[in-house]
Amino acid sequence: MTGKRYARCCFGVLAMVALFASLASAQSTISGQVRDSSGALMPGVKVEAASEALIERSRAETTNENGRYTIVDVRPGLYTITFTLPGFSTVKQEVTVPANVSVPVDAEMRVGAVDETVTVEARVATVDVETTLRPQVLTRSDMDALPTARNPQSMGSYTPGVHLNLPDVGGSQQIEQTYLISHGNPSSRDTYLLDGMMINTMQNDGQIQIYIDNALMQEVTYNNANNSVEVTGGGVVANFVPRDGGNEPHGNLFLGWIPSRFVASNIDQTLRNRGVTGQSAVRKIEDFDGSLGGPFKKDKLWFLLSGRKQLTFVQAANSFYLNGQPGVERSYIYSGGLRLTYQINSRNKFAAMWTRDWKTKEQDVVTGGQVADVNPLVSSLERSPKMYYVLQGRWTGTLTPRLLVQAGATLTKLDYNILYHAGVRKTPFTPDWFANAQELDLTLNARSIAGAVNTYSKYDRYLWNTSATYVTGSHQVKFGIQDTFGIAQLDNIANGDAIYQYTNGIPLSILAYNTPTYSKPRLNHDLGIYATDTWHVGRVSVTAGVRWEYLSAQVDAQSAPAGRFTGGPRNFPKIDCSVIKGMSCFKNWSPRIGFVYDVFGNHKTAVKAGIGKFNSPIAIGVVTNFNPMTLRNQTIQWLNHPTTACQSHDPIGCYPQGNGFGDGDIGPNPNPGFGQINRVNLDPNFRREYQWQYNVGVQRELRRGVTMNFMWFHQANYQAIHVDNYSVPSSAWTPFTISNPLDGTPITVYNLLPAYFGLTPDLHQTNAPQNRRSNVYNGYELSVNARLPRGIFVLAGWTIDRIRDRGCDMNTDPLSTALNDPNSLRYCDQNGQLYQDLGRINGIPYRNEFKLQTNVPLKWGVEVNASLYSDPVFSTNYSVNPGNVAQAGAVLAGQVQGYKTVLWQITQNARYPADCNCPNPGGLVDPGLRQGAETITLVPPGARLTLRLNQLDLGVRKVFHHEKLTTMGEAQFFNVTNSNAVLTESYTLGSSIKPYVAGGPGGVPTAVLNPRMIRLNVQFKF
């Protein structure tokens, strides 16, 4: 994007301020009703909210004819609410306002002297009777007190109904992002906001975010129910509310560290018997974080500076250097930030913020796919610091007491390289290049020789928005517009353009890549125009809104030299919706409505319900099937392979030599168009994928400061992408019966007739029929939020839920095999209805999770705190037949619900294990298989489940106060029970069935929960 174009967009923001609106900052609202002592409604009462959190010091409003008032865009903090009317006593009430909630503050006014003031006891917002939002709020003091990893995903994982893809024990994952999955929504549907403006990057359709310094945050809110029309996705909405400088100088410093001597061991004989030879453990963790803020000029210009150092050295369980020492991943992030808040005049203010990260990872032996490494000095990858930052600015204008207008712009930049170590990369098409591709043993889940595919990434995402809120009568009306655009450039290279696959050291197949690739997709517009209104009918509050979206993406002109499996040179022209009709340029409506019924009219019991349509968030994913430079792979037969894998701890290393790795040693590619433009014919009626969400619940204040919630959630997915290859009809496949090596039951395998092998695909993309492809979530949730006197708080929640997926449309990946493979019909319907003769599913179980966070001050400044995360182990490497791309819904269901599986990759030359429970041990499995390779699922989804992950973390701290300085010394104990839950394990059947038979130990664990560890912290505040 040129500087001129960005300047024009920023100018457009300012020009449209007066025309469009919505509450872009997603801050809180104070609202309520004023009555006299007889209960009559009182119009014309002046209501003022004053707080040090506001640079303008106070906001004022006047009650309408119904005695109602609403004060919008309120920042978190302590507020004094003052109600005045001539002839009545002035009423004052103090209230603590969290972020992203509507705080009900009512008042009763009595006739009295003008100078008489009645002060009401401070209260805490509990039941929100205005909106159906249900945010989990973490204040600055909460974040400082709780034993967590102090990063946004780790803190958000304790929200009821939210699953974390990898546990973060004491910050062991602080250098590598984890992801939040909620109510059946993958993490790509999550929205991350910094000061109310989206900071999702272009990568993976916005799944990846910049690292936000914890010291910048005043509060964090996580909402996963009834998302407003201000966002596209129906997943978690995390809003990071930054600190402002303030009129008084203030600072905060956090120093936390975990040395290796404070880390226990949790490897027992059971794990050793399963093949674990080392310990997943922390060698060292450091987290040094601080901020300094104050006024350049009081009530006029504030500043806030922040900085953070995060260091994590983590030892991998099954990775070893040549000297026998365990592999260690050494990672660092250095962050810095600056925020300025300028009060232009009494009605206008401007805030600007910049945050920058520098990230280094020396060897990805832990986060590089959860695999074991044979000599990490060559088989892992390294990451060098490049350009990560967020730059944003926002203007807020209170044009009248009833009209608030905002406008802002953000640039989120994410550039990084993940590369081989020095000396590993070889010159293309030399013998060393062919021989030194990565070797991956599927059974042992171990890699050697080289790291994975190298990536050079450049992701720039620009955002602008403008917004306003108008309060009149009983209505709170919002309108708004937002647009994002940017580039997602990704280059890939790999030795040999392949991965050589083995099982227990025996060569199996070749995973071919279409490298080198130089991909240049671009997001032109992700435009949203939205409007919403909140009004009251008696005790019922109704919030109705609608969002109109326009999404346009394209693929810029691209070129690349020939690859091993692609031919070339390759030159591809620009592709957009004018070239391929229907490829993006979507125009969609998203209506949403919520109801809140204040049962007794006292703000203590509310029945809530919400219905909403959510379009799947997209950056550039919609053009993937049409982009020939998208990284893809294809399994190819390995004909003249070497005898064994090259896996050795020989001091000089192990480098393949001789025959078996060249082009003459591989079979034909089933897809002759691999790496080229697959002419995908797009249905002119093709539509964007979307979801409908429904929920009903009750919120009840049990006592002052204690609120209970119970909710039912339902979600269904519609219009998933479906691709057909008309060149290969269903008659091209012939059934063949093999035996399940685990139990001897028959399995029907489909072989492709030779006449249809290698045909040029005739691809057609449309939307999958709902009766063949669906994904449905149901869940029930009970939570308690208690904030009690003396700073005691308890946040707890229990969820029981289930995802059932149906993927029986034989969807194909157009950039890989491009076959509508009937082998994918095995276990395709988790509802237990379709194609049960190919693989019966007897039922998908509900699974449950429990979360707890608490802090309790005792005496003499001593506080104790705890966090409990109890959830089925997230099945990170769960997969289904025949691959992940075509059946993403089934993979998500299996991962979230903790399914175990057993996969059996067979080729034309594959043989049964010698100890199989089958009629033909050691015999050929399917000599008629011609389509390269098939991956057969041997156990039904939900039949085998991961164990529960019970991570209990405790902390104790002593608080010292000396005038304006507060010092806290703290010890935090992570994974107190020393759980050794297996996080990832191999699922691929090798030469023996013993690990995978019913009651067997399972595959080789490649990642185990980090053991018990102690973090020592010191905090200073002034």
Side-chain angles (χ1 to χ4, degrees), residues 30 47-50 69 71 79-83 91-95 97 105:
I30 299 174
V47 185
E48 181 184 63
Y69 73 95
I71 302 174
Y79 284 77
T80 299
I81 314 299
T82 305
F83 302 85
V91 176
K92 286 191 176 182
Q93 182 171 340
E94 286 192 334
V95 58
V97 178
V105 182

Side-chain angles (χ1 to χ4, degrees), residues 339 600 683 808:
R339 177 175 170 84
F600 302 109
D683 182 347
C808 301

